Amino acid sequence: MKVPRFGRLFAVLGVVAVILIPTVVATARGRATIAVRVDGSLLSVRGGTTVGDLMQRYGLHLQPGNLLDVDGAVLQRGVEPGRIVIDGRTANASTTLRAGDSVILEAGASRAEPRVRSVYRTQGARTTNPQFSLAGAPGEEIVVSGAISGKVVSATFRPAGPSRGPRSVALTFDDGPGPYTARILSVLRKYGAPATFFVIGIHARDHGDLVREEVQAGMAVGNHSWDHPIRPPFAKLSGSRMRSEIEQTEQLLLSMGIAPQLFRPPGGSFSQRVIDAARAVDSRVVLWDVDPMDWKRGRTPGQIVRAVLKAVRPGAIIELHDGGPNPQATLAALPRIITGIRAKGLRLVALGA
Ligand code: ZN
């Protein structure tokens, strides 16, 4: 059995030679090959190679982190550059690699914009501008929003004393009209539930019949900008762009015989400039205080129903969507939302001027 054993030995020597010979040859030319580990994979490079050379050769990049708004949308790309780590220590592109180095290319962490808390006082029965709820009692509206995007995270009404708030609730539908608007309208009609539709100008232009159907069904119609700009956030648009976003939709609705008096900025992004721009066309800014995130892809009807019924209070303005990426879930949730709200002894109303 000696021959096979020698055979095995030669095979082993052969493998060793295959590994060693290129190294030796390279050494003879002064360019030894070294092995390094990059994000767990073994790579071989010439001695003297820097991290920058390695990344270029293998097409590796440091994934930068982004600045996100309160909904997770990107406000600014590449704000956190990421980090090169070799054997636990921070390195940079000019660091020379040594045999056996373990290189980790750490992605930059994305971070959310800061949040700001603002307090709006409500006086007597006057409706606030911006309006977050139907509450007409004296008190405070505490609003948390993204410091950069102006997007509303939450709005909570705190009455100044014992008061009986309105026993009504407003359902509002944004981002339509679209393929689900007619079906949502027919559910509202079937249940005799009034609501308010904040329409996007370009969709209202393309589906004027649906907007007329909303009015005929006793719904209120509000302005939700011309083409729903999100980046930069609405509150950061130039004055002329902001005005034209509001005025184009206003003009279109007027031409259809509808005089909108309510404006809801995309993403709820508002500032005093937004309020002034809306006021220039005699409109008040209306936001919401219940947001079940129904627009999010993958959100189920059950999740939407639970989120609404958990948060709804007398005077609530609920934000839903008949447009956007997930209206089929909103449609499926709607009957249970209506019956659930009514079961709490609350009345559904359309938003008034
Ligand atoms: Zn919207």
Side-chain angles (χ1 to χ4, degrees), residues 242-262:
M242 191 183 285
R243 281 192 299 279
S244 84
E245 282 286 337
I246 298 172
E247 283 164 14
Q248 279 191 85
T249 302
E250 163 93 7
Q251 287 305 323
L252 174 78
L253 293 175
L254 285 175
S255 77
M256 300 169 77
I258 302 162
Q261 283 157 314
L262 311 171

Side-chain angles (χ1 to χ4, degrees), residues 174-175 200 224 228 266-267 319 321:
D174 292 0
D175 298 354
I200 296 178
H224 193 37
H228 208 274
E319 189 202 25
H321 293 79

Side-chain angles (χ1 to χ4, degrees), residues 113-137:
E113 64 176 321
R115 294 176 175 204
V116 288
R117 184 178 176 277
S118 319
V119 178
Y120 298 85
R121 268 170 228 299
T122 60
Q123 313 197 334
R126 274 225 327 261
T127 308
T128 54
N129 186 7
Q131 179 182 6
F132 300 92
S133 71
L134 302 172

Side-chain angles (χ1 to χ4, degrees), residues 13-31:
L13 283 178
V15 170
V16 172
V18 167
I19 294 170
L20 286 180
I21 287 165
T23 312
V24 172
V25 170
T27 313
R29 291 193 211 141
R31 299 187 280 128

Side-chain angles (χ1 to χ4, degrees), residues 169-198:
V169 167
L171 292 180
T172 64
F173 293 89
D174 292 0
D175 298 354
Y180 281 81
T181 303
R183 277 181 266 183
I184 285 175
L185 265 177
S186 81
V187 173
L188 293 170
R189 252 196 243 103
K190 178 179 163 196
Y191 285 86
T196 305
F197 286 80
F198 286 96

Side-chain angles (χ1 to χ4, degrees), residues 34-353:
I34 58 168
V36 295
R37 219 168 253 288
V38 181
D39 289 339
S41 307
L42 210 50
L43 299 178
S44 63
V45 292
R46 290 172 187 169
T49 296
T50 64
V51 175
D53 297 336
L54 170 97
M55 290 173 68
Q56 201 170 18
R57 176 165 167 205
Y58 286 98
L60 304 170
H61 300 279
L62 269 183
Q63 189 69 44
N66 300 325
L67 179 65
L68 307 176
D69 74 15
V70 289
D71 282 336
V74 175
L75 282 171
Q76 202 185 330
R77 295 194 182 276
V79 289
E80 293 292 335
R83 199 165 73 105
I84 300 163
V85 180
I86 299 181
D87 295 327
R89 276 194 292 275
T90 302
N92 56 51
S94 61
T95 304
T96 303
L97 292 163
R98 290 167 310 177
D101 274 352
S102 177
V103 183
I104 305 273
L105 301 175
E106 220 176 69
S110 288
R111 60 186 158 87
E113 64 176 321
R115 294 176 175 204
V116 288
R117 184 178 176 277
S118 319
V119 178
Y120 298 85
R121 268 170 228 299
T122 60
Q123 313 197 334
R126 274 225 327 261
T127 308
T128 54
N129 186 7
Q131 179 182 6
F132 300 92
S133 71
L134 302 172
E140 294 179 330
E141 196 74 61
I142 295 128
V143 182
V144 177
S145 54
I148 299 166
S149 67
K151 284 187 181 178
V152 174
V153 180
S154 67
T156 318
F157 180 67
R158 197 187 285 159
S163 71
R164 276 169 49 85
R167 299 293 295 169
S168 30
V169 167
L171 292 180
T172 64
F173 293 89
D174 292 0
D175 298 354
Y180 281 81
T181 303
R183 277 181 266 183
I184 285 175
L185 265 177
S186 81
V187 173
L188 293 170
R189 252 196 243 103
K190 178 179 163 196
Y191 285 86
T196 305
F197 286 80
F198 286 96
V199 299
I200 296 178
I202 50 171
H203 297 332
R205 177 196 60 195
D206 297 345
H207 305 284
D209 49 331
L210 288 172
V211 179
R212 286 189 196 94
E213 217 182 297
E214 287 167 0
V215 175
Q216 277 156 18
M219 308 293 154
V221 173
N223 179 340
H224 193 37
S225 82
W226 181 248
D227 59 5
H228 208 274
I230 280 291
R231 203 185 307 155
F234 196 84
K236 302 280 176 185
L237 294 180
S238 70
S240 59
R241 173 83 193 279
M242 191 183 285
R243 281 192 299 279
S244 84
E245 282 286 337
I246 298 172
E247 283 164 14
Q248 279 191 85
T249 302
E250 163 93 7
Q251 287 305 323
L252 174 78
L253 293 175
L254 285 175
S255 77
M256 300 169 77
I258 302 162
Q261 283 157 314
L262 311 171
F263 174 67
R264 175 172 282 172
S269 174
F270 78 95
S271 64
Q272 191 56 48
R273 287 174 62 233
V274 176
I275 295 167
D276 294 343
R279 196 176 272 143
V281 293
D282 289 326
S283 279
R284 187 175 73 245
V285 173
V286 177
L287 297 157
W288 57 84
D289 59 354
V290 175
D291 174 12
M293 309 286 267
D294 65 318
W295 55 271
K296 271 203 169 162
R297 226 181 276 279
R299 193 90 158 133
T300 66
Q303 289 172 320
I304 298 167
V305 171
R306 281 192 294 279
V308 169
L309 296 184
K310 191 171 157 233
V312 71
R313 302 275 180 279
I317 297 178
I318 299 165
E319 189 202 25
L320 296 166
H321 293 79
D322 61 322
N326 204 34
Q328 70 287 351
T330 307
L331 171 68
L334 192 52
R336 279 177 283 163
I337 290 176
I338 295 170
T339 51
I341 288 172
R342 287 179 170 161
K344 290 173 188 278
L346 300 167
R347 197 168 64 95
L348 290 169
V349 295
L351 288 168

